Amino acid sequence: MTEPDRPTRGAPPHRPNVVLVLTDDHASHAVGAYGSVVNTTPRIDEIARAGALLENCFCTNSICTPSRASILTGTYSHVNGVTTLSTPIDASQPTFVSRLRAAGYRTAVFGKWHLGHGEGHDPQGFDRWEVLVDQGEYFDPRFLTPEGLVTRPGYATDVITDLALEWLEGLEGDAPWCVLVHHKAPHRSWFPDEEHAGMYADPIPVPSTFHDGDTGWATRSLAARHQAMTIADHLHPVDLKQDPPEGLEGEELALWKYQRYMEDYLACVASVDDNVGRVTDWLRERDLFDDTLLMYTSDQGFFLGDHGWYDKRFMYEESLRMPFVLSYPRAVPAGTVHPGTVTNVDLAQTILAAAGVDAHPRMHGRSFWPDLTGGAPEPEVDGMYYRYYENDDPIHHALAHYGFRTERYKLIYFYNDGMGLPGSGPGTFPPEWELYDLAEDPDEVRNVADDPAYAEVRRDLEVRMWRRQHELGDVPHPSQPVPAGIADGRTDERSS
């Protein structure tokens, strides 16, 4: 894809530098600023105190590769073409980075790319890039560069930060810059560095829903029972790094695995937090902090023993929610808390708005920049749309679904069909609905899709989800009936 001429709106008096620190699988409920009860993240929290915290930031496809594509392009998976882990990006399509570069920004990315390698898939729109090969390694990671493959000694989280700061140190002149610092951590298999290993050896609180599986996830659809993401049964020896003590079985064994998993996961997060602090300190030492849009987020959420699971993929809250904090003291008041609904698709437009650069016409979502700075806000959406495509993959066996979340309710349609997409398994299963009342049931343990008391709510959400799908240009699965409120005697809106 080639970009048309890129008009730039009147640039603000101070065009901010841009830093986006993106981690992999860092759950919001493992961030101090979001109320974590399992760890502390003082340097990430510092960004929130200096600027803003987004209370309700969600991903639109909770898996690494598609979420990263949506963040870059500002589009949903069905538009950018990255629907599963096995669908690489067409890197020539417009991104917020290519728009910034065309507007005079110097640009770079260091760390995890995970959007495919080779011609057409390697990073484009960057003055400098060094990216991990596929998932990358925690120790002595290999980096793909325009000049070839290079191995960097050290721990990946430190090395990625080193590369970003070295690039910044080498810049000359006054033109603004944008650097993406993309960490591997805390992705599976959670190998901490020596400095942080063992720092969470004390017992870690167990989530209240840890034992949901004891009842077979009683009210949920087949998807909950079909998955292979339970801590009790599906963590491997490489994840645990040691054999369980002899004699442990049943609940005791599951709880031991939880503690081992969380100890390493949180230690990896602690290293990320320290390195976020290195970036913040670098900016402050050079008197650049007030003039820099500094953002911290993750590509999606993660299950930390919630419902007995690890990993992500499902539209349930722990997987759906992304942490997102930012600071830009010149424009964003310290201590701002934004309660509105935001998705990863909105990030591209928001970053461009902060820089005074027009978004590309194909970009979805809305800029929430005026919400943070006191400007005239764009109309808010009445709910967010989600779609997970990678049906019954051979490792995690999560089933394909899409859904619609409002402030109070969440409707999910498990259509359970990979539709031939790469990465999906060959099997299909009968479709099922789930509905949750987030006010009455914030832990999402009671599916009320077939409860007569919620029949009207479900009908309304089906209509709203259908309309949102068509507004975005997505196509409902053929198994989904046309909602009664849509049909009204008219032709099937699939063809419209």
Side-chain angles (χ1 to χ4, degrees), residues 23-26 63-65 68 85 112 114 134-136 138 155 157 183-192 239 241 261 264-265 268-269 272 298-300 302 311-313 396:
T23 47
D24 197 318
D25 296 342
H26 187 185
I63 192 168
C64 306
T65 303
R68 290 163 183 271
L85 290 177
K112 185 168 180 179
H114 206 211
D134 297 323
Q135 290 283 4
Y138 271 108
Y155 186 63
T157 309
H183 293 298
K184 170 184 175 62
H187 191 278
R188 191 180 186 186
S189 293
W190 314 296
F191 283 94
D239 301 315
K241 322 303 190 296
Y261 156 52
D264 285 348
Y265 176 94
C268 290
V269 170
V272 167
S298 176
D299 48 8
Q300 64 261 321
F302 212 66
D311 210 68
K312 57 265 184 177
R313 290 172 167 79
H396 301 91

Side-chain angles (χ1 to χ4, degrees), residues 1-183:
M1 291 180 190
T2 58
E3 293 187 53
D5 292 337
R6 295 168 291 269
T8 301
R9 69 184 69 169
H14 299 276
R15 291 204 292 172
N17 300 311
V18 177
V19 180
L20 176 60
V21 182
L22 177 67
T23 47
D24 197 318
D25 296 342
H26 187 185
S28 296
H29 52 308
V31 177
Y34 285 88
S36 173
V37 298
V38 295
N39 69 327
T40 60
T41 52
R43 303 311 305 266
I44 296 170
D45 300 351
E46 179 185 343
I47 298 174
R49 288 194 303 272
L53 178 146
L54 276 57
E55 285 189 318
N56 293 296
C57 183
F58 305 109
C59 62
T60 52
N61 185 351
S62 184
I63 192 168
C64 306
T65 303
S67 180
R68 290 163 183 271
S70 288
I71 290 170
L72 273 174
T73 67
T75 59
Y76 286 82
S77 300
H78 66 276
V79 169
N80 60 51
V82 183
T83 53
T84 72
L85 290 177
S86 302
T87 51
I89 195 170
D90 171 0
S92 69
Q93 58 189 298
T95 67
F96 76 83
V97 176
S98 67
R99 303 287 283 182
L100 290 176
R101 190 183 192 208
Y105 275 73
R106 293 163 294 176
T107 59
V109 58
F110 302 99
K112 185 168 180 179
W113 178 245
H114 206 211
L115 290 166
H117 297 301
E119 185 176 356
H121 308 309
D122 288 332
Q124 295 185 32
F126 295 93
D127 297 319
R128 181 64 190 170
W129 56 270
E130 290 199 27
V131 296
L132 297 172
V133 179
D134 297 323
Q135 290 283 4
E137 300 89 10
Y138 271 108
F139 297 98
D140 301 334
R142 295 169 299 148
F143 288 84
L144 184 65
T145 78
E147 295 78 33
L149 197 62
V150 60
T151 299
R152 303 282 188 185
Y155 186 63
T157 309
D158 298 329
V159 172
I160 290 164
T161 306
D162 290 343
L163 290 172
L165 296 182
E166 287 169 8
W167 179 74
L168 291 173
E169 287 282 5
L171 295 179
E172 298 178 355
D174 297 327
W177 43 261
C178 169
V179 60
L180 311 187
V181 188
H182 284 192
H183 293 298

Side-chain angles (χ1 to χ4, degrees), residues 373-412:
T373 59
E378 298 181 18
E380 291 197 41
V381 297
D382 63 353
M384 63 84 58
Y385 176 65
Y386 176 91
R387 185 162 187 170
Y388 173 78
Y389 296 79
E390 196 168 286
N391 189 65
D392 199 23
D393 75 278
I395 298 175
H396 301 91
H397 296 284
L399 298 183
H401 56 287
Y402 49 71
F404 189 74
R405 185 196 188 281
T406 67
E407 183 177 354
R408 176 163 181 174
Y409 298 107
K410 182 185 295 179
L411 180 71
I412 308 174

Side-chain angles (χ1 to χ4, degrees), residues 215-464:
T215 61
W217 299 278
T219 70
R220 297 187 192 273
S221 64
L222 168 69
R225 297 179 292 281
H226 188 75
Q227 53 69 37
M229 304 189 303
T230 63
I231 286 173
D233 298 326
H234 300 114
L235 284 179
H236 300 309
V238 70
D239 301 315
L240 301 171
K241 322 303 190 296
Q242 65 186 75
D243 293 329
E246 289 188 15
L248 287 187
E249 58 184 28
E251 179 180 354
E252 287 186 340
L253 179 58
L255 289 171
W256 180 87
K257 289 182 178 181
Y258 168 79
Q259 295 292 333
R260 281 293 308 123
Y261 156 52
M262 289 294 289
E263 179 180 339
D264 285 348
Y265 176 94
L266 295 176
C268 290
V269 170
S271 178
V272 167
D273 191 67
D274 284 351
N275 277 277
V276 168
R278 289 180 60 200
V279 175
T280 301
D281 291 344
W282 187 92
L283 293 170
R284 290 191 185 278
E285 289 164 4
R286 287 152 184 80
D287 200 25
L288 293 172
F289 186 78
D290 286 0
D291 293 313
T292 299
L293 173 58
L294 171 61
M295 297 166 284
Y296 178 85
T297 189
S298 176
D299 48 8
Q300 64 261 321
F302 212 66
F303 294 109
L304 304 180
D306 316 281
H307 312 294
W309 296 328
Y310 66 94
D311 210 68
K312 57 265 184 177
R313 290 172 167 79
F314 285 133
M315 197 188 171
Y316 307 131
E317 290 293 284
E318 298 86 359
S319 166
L320 185 68
R321 286 184 173 274
M322 302 163 57
F324 194 99
V325 297
L326 66 87
S327 66
Y328 179 33
R330 191 175 290 279
V332 179
T336 297
V337 176
H338 180 49
T341 295
V342 168
T343 72
N344 57 353
V345 169
D346 298 327
L347 302 188
Q349 290 208 45
T350 301
I351 293 168
L352 292 172
V357 177
D358 283 339
H360 194 279
R362 79 197 286 261
M363 288 180 173
H364 291 126
R366 64 184 287 273
S367 167
F368 54 86
W369 190 244
D371 302 341
L372 304 179
T373 59
E378 298 181 18
E380 291 197 41
V381 297
D382 63 353
M384 63 84 58
Y385 176 65
Y386 176 91
R387 185 162 187 170
Y388 173 78
Y389 296 79
E390 196 168 286
N391 189 65
D392 199 23
D393 75 278
I395 298 175
H396 301 91
H397 296 284
L399 298 183
H401 56 287
Y402 49 71
F404 189 74
R405 185 196 188 281
T406 67
E407 183 177 354
R408 176 163 181 174
Y409 298 107
K410 182 185 295 179
L411 180 71
I412 308 174
Y413 184 62
F414 282 93
Y415 60 94
N416 302 339
D417 178 5
M419 304 179 71
L421 287 172
S424 289
T428 61
F429 305 90
E432 295 182 83
W433 290 94
E434 293 185 2
L435 171 63
Y436 297 95
D437 183 338
L438 301 175
E440 298 295 327
D441 177 26
D443 291 330
E444 298 172 299
V445 296
R446 180 172 172 253
N447 172 22
V448 295
D450 295 321
D451 186 333
Y454 286 87
E456 185 175 345
V457 170
R458 174 173 161 178
R459 282 193 296 270
D460 175 64
L461 291 172
E462 285 187 38
V463 169
R464 291 164 72 179

